[in-house]
Amino acid sequence: MIVRILGEGQYDVDDAALDKLNELDAAVEAACQGTDEAVFDAALAALLDGVRSLGTAHPVDAIDSSDLILPGPGSTLAEVSEMLGDEGLIPG
């Protein structure tokens, strides 16, 4: 699957990595329930780092649509809260 991190680029992530990414996504979702920006920032950073480490950079010159779109680094708790669906940022 292709995962886009807004403002950064796309990553090819194997479907086998979904369980780990869903764990990290659950932490972001839980952090959005609260008001502690530091907890939220750490959870979002962990999710984005997970995508970077579990995936490989998608070729820049390839024009492919993303399967998932994640907020970029520096996104606020309010911005990410608006992006959350019923299943978090990563369905599954």
Side-chain angles (χ1 to χ4, degrees):
M1 97 178 88
I2 300 172
V3 179
R4 174 177 297 280
I5 297 176
L6 291 174
E8 184 172 318
Q10 293 177 307
Y11 293 84
D12 294 314
V13 179
D14 190 272
D15 289 343
L18 272 180
D19 287 341
K20 178 60 178 170
L21 292 180
N22 274 317
E23 288 175 25
L24 297 169
D25 181 42
V28 171
E29 192 172 4
C32 285
Q33 305 283 326
T35 58
D36 190 329
E37 289 280 344
V39 170
F40 164 76
D41 288 341
L44 180 59
L47 174 60
L48 300 180
D49 286 344
V51 170
R52 292 180 194 112
S53 67
L54 295 169
T56 56
H58 191 74
V60 177
D61 58 345
I63 302 175
D64 298 307
S65 61
S66 303
D67 298 303
L68 294 172
I69 299 174
L70 299 179
S75 295
T76 67
L77 193 149
E79 292 168 337
V80 174
S81 292
E82 288 181 24
M83 292 179 72
L84 286 174
D86 290 339
E87 296 183 328
L89 295 168
I90 301 174

